[in-house]
């Protein structure tokens, strides 16, 4: 475990990623970086019409994640 720098949990919406991530972080004593679903303007529409809003919902989360990890970048 000393060699691991990041553990990523990915999967579809509602699969239990947050629950699993919180348990892993607690067990490993690791920092936790979660999506911020309240910031996603497509999420409510996704639950009304999943086929239509799946892509924009996921793209928003992808770009959100890239903004979250940007400050973590190291020069090495």
């Amino acid at each position: 475990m000393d060699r691991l720098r990041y553990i990523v949990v990915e999967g579809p919406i509602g699969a239990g990623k947050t629950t699993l991530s919180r348990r892993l972080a607690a067990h490993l004593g690791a920092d936790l970086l979660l999506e911020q679903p309240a910031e996603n303007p497509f999420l409510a529409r996704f639950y009304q019409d999943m086929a239509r809003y799946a892509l924009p919902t996921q793209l928003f989360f992808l770009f959100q994640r890239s903004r979250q990890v940007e400050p973590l970048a190291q020069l090495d």
Side-chain angles (χ1 to χ4, degrees):
M1 294 301 294
D2 292 335
R3 294 182 10 220
L4 298 177
R5 297 182 79 176
Y6 303 99
I7 296 174
V8 177
V9 177
E10 81 72 42
I13 293 173
K17 299 179 300 291
T18 300
T19 301
L20 175 61
S21 298
R22 285 186 173 139
R23 289 182 181 183
L24 280 171
H27 179 74
L28 299 171
D31 293 330
L32 183 60
L33 184 62
L34 295 174
E35 293 174 335
Q36 302 300 314
E39 295 178 5
N40 192 326
F42 302 102
L43 198 55
R45 288 178 275 182
F46 168 78
Y47 286 113
Q48 294 170 355
D49 187 350
M50 292 184 180
R52 183 173 179 188
Y53 291 101
L55 180 60
T57 301
Q58 289 298 326
L59 286 174
F60 183 90
F61 282 132
L62 174 65
F63 293 131
Q64 180 186 68
R65 175 71 67 212
S66 70
R67 288 189 310 270
Q68 287 176 319
V69 299
E70 191 173 284
L72 304 176
Q74 296 179 6
L75 297 175
D76 63 350

